[in-house]
Amino acid sequence: MSGPCAYDRPRRIRRGAALTLFLAGVLATGAVTGTWSDAAAGAEGRSAPRRSAKAHAPASAFADREAVERAAAEAAEDGKSGAEAAADVVSRSGDRWSTIYTPGQFEDFQEQLGGAYVGVGLWVRQTGGGRIEVSRVQPGSPAARAGIAPGDRLRAVDGRGTEHTPVTEVVSRLRGVAPDGSRASAAAAGTPVALALQRGARHWTATVHRTRLRCRNVVVDHPDGARGPTRVKVAAFAKGTGEAVRRAVRRASPDRGLLLDLRGNTGGLVTEATATASAFLDGGLVATYDVRGSQRALYAERGGDTRVPLVVLVDGGTMSAAELLAGALQDRGRAVVIGSPTFGKGSVQMPSTLPDGSVAELTVGHYRTPAGRSVDGAGITPDLVVGRGAEKRARTVLSGLGGGA
């Protein structure tokens, strides 16, 4: 993962591209989530695939929950891996977002949602041809000190090739999670991991040592100095993200405005995306979603700042919970959204425990923006579509709204 931590896509996507949004990240509470990060995945997380502005993700299929649980139970009775049997059912269902976690992987995922993890500081994604590519590098991490950069191809981890390997499995190797899904001693801080890399025609191996890292999911700065707008970069929605954004909004000058940068945000906890929306809204609807046909809704808390001029930056790497937030602020007329069309991951996943202790995050429905727009397979179209120079244009628009120097 990189400076801030980003969340990644589930296991099924593992074979495809990159990241996303699920509805529940904590089994105990059934909290709403929206993707998973590389931090928990091991600063080694996955990341959204590269897509053109018009190449949105197709709408989600649904894996049959009963079939998944039955396959896992039968495998467990035969002394086989219930997680592997369940993953096979999910794979054949065509459901791109459902995923199966071993107990260790799910434990890592929950840890990542808490903002801390043991890893080397990489985000990875699967690209065309099944190759694994570094999408982000956390500043100051072991990977960064080793000179690894976004765009580098990760060919092997500890001598084991990565091509056509599920992203979740690559992440587990980087984190040091054992093949059976348990936490291995290798996951301890200070243990080495050898990475085979490629950059263009150059091939090399770097041995880095895992360390305990913290995700900076929210970064606040003033690129134009004190006289300019506040920029709030949100990389993913982990625990505490909403409150961090609220603090930034309270400190922002209402005369200078605020840029909310959701570019490359792979999602995370929907509860935190809703809390972030609450920083800018005085109550009201944030999104609706369905769970197996039952309609539900998410509402902002009252008391948010409705005065500070606001521009939201998005791109093709904006996914899941980040799309939910951008769509809510756009539909509610609270912000001008600028950039390129978002990824289009609007399906909802919820977790259930399988007989062997593995966890199945299965698609159960889809969410919609306050105006009733479906995001899955369509994404969010910005009010002003801009490719290069989006941030410069955003500052111009912000000044017209009454913010900026």
Side-chain angles (χ1 to χ4, degrees):
M1 41 188 241
S2 151
C5 289
Y7 291 78
D8 254 311
R9 65 180 48 214
R11 180 100 145 189
R12 176 55 195 141
I13 302 178
R14 52 189 183 183
R15 307 176 197 249
L19 288 212
T20 66
L21 144 50
F22 13 66
L23 210 168
V26 183
L27 285 176
T29 61
V32 179
T33 78
T35 6
W36 57 308
S37 156
D38 89 18
E44 316 4 311
R46 353 182 162 192
S47 139
R50 295 177 177 174
R51 292 173 174 269
S52 66
K54 296 183 180 179
H56 295 298
S60 303
F62 287 67
D64 186 282
R65 180 177 180 177
E66 291 185 0
V68 169
E69 293 178 346
R70 183 169 56 251
E74 292 175 352
E77 290 177 1
D78 294 338
K80 300 178 181 178
S81 169
E84 290 184 5
D88 184 59
V89 173
V90 169
S91 177
R92 288 186 280 107
S93 73
D95 187 331
R96 301 179 64 236
W97 304 113
S98 287
T99 187
I100 308 298
Y101 300 98
T102 63
Q105 288 171 339
F106 193 73
E107 186 178 352
D108 278 342
F109 172 57
Q110 290 180 301
E111 183 180 73
Q112 132 192 354
L113 291 176
Y117 64 96
V118 173
V120 300
L122 290 180
W123 267 305
V124 300
R125 65 177 158 221
Q126 195 169 61
T127 63
R131 296 179 177 181
I132 297 295
E133 179 182 282
V134 175
S135 59
R136 302 183 191 181
V137 181
Q138 180 167 337
S141 67
R145 292 194 295 272
I148 300 171
D152 290 344
R153 180 179 172 187
L154 180 60
R155 300 179 62 90
V157 177
D158 282 335
R160 299 174 62 191
T162 61
E163 191 166 338
H164 298 297
T165 301
V167 175
T168 45
E169 185 175 327
V170 175
V171 168
S172 292
R173 294 181 195 172
L174 290 167
R175 293 296 308 279
V177 176
D180 63 359
S182 63
R183 285 182 181 260
S185 59
T191 55
V193 56
L195 310 177
L197 300 138
Q198 178 180 349
R199 182 183 301 164
R202 178 194 174 198
H203 293 248
W204 81 101
T205 299
T207 297
V208 295
H209 291 77
R210 300 180 179 95
T211 188
R212 177 156 288 277
L213 297 167
R214 251 205 115 65
C215 300
R216 294 186 62 203
N217 288 306
V218 180
V219 176
V220 182
D221 63 5
H222 299 81
D224 297 326
R227 298 179 60 82
T230 298
R231 180 173 60 187
V232 180
K233 170 67 176 177
V234 182
F237 294 99
K239 294 175 183 176
T241 297
E243 179 54 34
V245 173
R246 188 182 290 275
R247 286 196 301 269
V249 174
R250 284 198 294 260
R251 295 169 183 167
S253 169
D255 299 326
R256 300 302 175 189
L258 190 145
L259 291 173
L260 180 62
D261 191 349
L262 300 180
R263 291 174 296 181
N265 184 312
T266 53
L269 293 166
V270 170
T271 48
E272 292 296 335
T274 302
T276 300
S278 299
F280 302 103
L281 300 171
D282 186 21
L285 186 64
V286 173
T288 59
Y289 62 96
D290 58 281
V291 176
R292 302 187 185 94
S294 175
Q295 298 300 308
R296 306 181 188 183
L298 299 168
Y299 294 94
E301 295 181 5
R302 297 189 65 86
D305 188 329
T306 60
R307 298 182 304 121
V308 63
L310 178 64
V311 169
V312 176
L313 284 163
V314 299
D315 64 8
T318 303
M319 302 177 65
S320 179
E323 293 177 283
L324 179 150
L325 173 60
L329 296 175
Q330 184 182 53
D331 280 4
R332 296 285 301 276
R334 180 60 186 89
V336 176
V337 179
I338 296 177
S340 51
T342 63
F343 183 80
K345 201 288 183 180
S347 60
V348 170
Q349 283 72 45
M350 296 192 75
S352 60
T353 303
L354 299 177
D356 65 348
S358 300
V359 175
E361 287 271 7
L362 302 181
T363 303
V364 296
H366 299 89
Y367 74 83
R368 295 177 179 274
T369 68
R373 292 181 293 160
S374 175
V375 174
D376 206 53
I380 298 294
T381 299
D383 298 302
L384 183 59
V385 177
V386 182
R388 292 183 178 179
E391 186 163 339
K392 181 178 180 180
R393 183 69 66 85
R395 295 184 194 182
T396 300
V397 170
L398 190 59
S399 65
L401 296 174

